[in-house]
Amino acid sequence: MTDAVTGAAKSVETPEGLASVEAVLSMLAQSGYIATPEIATAVYLAHHLRKPVLIEGPAGVGKTDLARSVALGLGQPLIRMQCYEGLDESKALYEWKYGKQLLYTQILKDKIGHLVEDADSLDEALHKLNSFQDIFFSRDFLEPRPLLKAMEQSTGSVLLIDEIDKSDEEFEALLLEVLSDYQVTVPEIGTIAAQVPPLVMLTSNATRELGDALKRRCLHLHIDFPDAELEARIVRTRVPGVSERLLERLVAFIQAVRGENIRKLPSISETIDWARTLILLHADSLEPAMVRSTLNVILKRQSDIAEVSGKVEALLDSRDKAGR
């Protein structure tokens, strides 16, 4: 076992896209992500303060897409770890290549006589065998998982820890060393520190309360459903073929639906899907029959579809009145 710390962190040069809040806004826009100043500020601070960002908000508001867009804009690999109940260090940090270790053991068994044949004593023979035993738990037999893989990227990376609230509290404790010092400890090898600390983003849908220790190590960012103006900008970027007339009406309808008492509110991604659907159906306006036939694109529960279906005319009328 090696006790020395490996891969000591080096000074990090700030990428052009993270030079200022305005640069972040521009970088994200070029990647197709229309961000608010609050979002851009959180990304800027995450790099310069070397703190992870804990992103909370309803499902489908662009939390995961933010990490993808940052990685795309920076030209860095996106390393994603999807959290789930029972996630442990073998899936998050590393595991040993047991098949390769077994093969090595077989080779060592076949060659053991040759290795010790010139040993003059038992102690000398044991010393020779111990030198080969150290190789058994070496980097050659280590399989990095997302956390360690992010530490090993020499050019930097964006580490997305997705839906952290779905993991166990024990996994939060496992993250503390990684998020505090950007390093991973492998008992058989030592401590592996990131040469270039990754830009870390954690997402949560708030299915459970996260621990205070984890929250203290993170910047907090809440992303909510956008207002009509921002949502129109997002759809215009993602669906360039949509007409302004149709865009205005479909965004207004989505905004009205979010005011209804339904279980699953339509997300931004579903607004984008609906815009693409209406273009495919050659719709140039929102007619009640067309809206009803495509509600399954924006609503994912039958009870919600039934609730909104009976109010389509009223929602369209309120939308038109609001636009006057």
Side-chain angles (χ1 to χ4, degrees), residues 24-40 43 55 60-70 72-73 201 221-224 230 233-234 237-238 268 272:
V24 176
L25 282 168
S26 176
M27 176 190 71
L28 290 174
Q30 291 175 20
S31 300
Y33 191 98
I34 306 301
T36 63
E38 291 78 13
I39 292 174
V43 174
I55 312 171
V61 294
K63 301 188 297 294
T64 300
D65 201 33
L66 174 59
R68 291 196 190 100
S69 299
V70 170
L72 179 62
M201 296 186 179
L221 174 64
H222 185 272
I223 302 179
D224 210 338
L230 179 58
R233 288 179 59 199
I234 295 170
T237 300
R238 297 301 181 90
I268 300 172
I272 293 170

Side-chain angles (χ1 to χ4, degrees), residues 65-183:
D65 201 33
L66 174 59
R68 291 196 190 100
S69 299
V70 170
L72 179 62
L74 295 176
Q76 294 180 349
L78 173 67
I79 299 176
R80 176 177 180 177
M81 183 173 65
Q82 178 63 48
C83 296
Y84 53 87
E85 187 177 353
L87 178 64
D88 58 18
E89 65 178 19
S90 67
K91 298 300 181 184
L93 285 173
Y94 67 91
E95 63 181 345
W96 294 104
K97 299 177 181 177
Y98 298 113
K100 191 174 180 180
Q101 285 177 323
L102 287 173
L103 179 61
Y104 172 77
T105 302
Q106 186 61 46
I107 294 174
L108 184 60
K109 179 182 177 181
D110 295 340
K111 299 293 183 180
I112 194 168
H114 174 72
L115 292 174
V116 300
E117 64 181 1
D118 58 345
D120 296 328
S121 65
L122 178 61
D123 287 343
E124 186 178 349
L126 288 174
H127 177 74
K128 288 190 174 186
L129 290 177
N130 284 336
S131 67
F132 284 89
Q133 185 181 19
D134 288 340
I135 298 175
F136 192 79
F137 288 106
S138 68
R139 292 296 293 270
D140 291 336
F141 296 99
L142 195 67
E143 181 67 39
R145 294 305 182 190
L147 294 181
L148 180 56
K149 189 178 295 184
M151 300 292 133
E152 292 182 322
Q153 302 300 313
S154 60
T155 58
S157 64
V158 176
L159 172 61
L160 171 62
I161 303 175
D162 214 5
E163 297 184 312
I164 180 64
D165 52 319
K166 289 186 176 180
S167 66
D168 303 319
E169 293 180 6
E170 291 77 9
F171 180 70
E172 286 188 37
L174 181 68
L175 284 176
L176 295 182
E177 179 190 16
V178 177
L179 301 184
S180 295
D181 303 316
Y182 294 99
Q183 63 185 29

Side-chain angles (χ1 to χ4, degrees), residues 14 17-21 24 37-53 182 198-201 217-221:
T14 297
L18 298 174
S20 66
V21 173
V24 176
E38 291 78 13
I39 292 174
T41 299
V43 174
Y44 173 78
L45 293 176
H47 170 76
H48 291 275
L49 297 180
R50 280 299 157 196
K51 278 184 169 288
V53 183
Y182 294 99
L199 198 160
V200 183
M201 296 186 179
R217 286 162 173 79
C218 300
L219 300 171
H220 181 263
L221 174 64

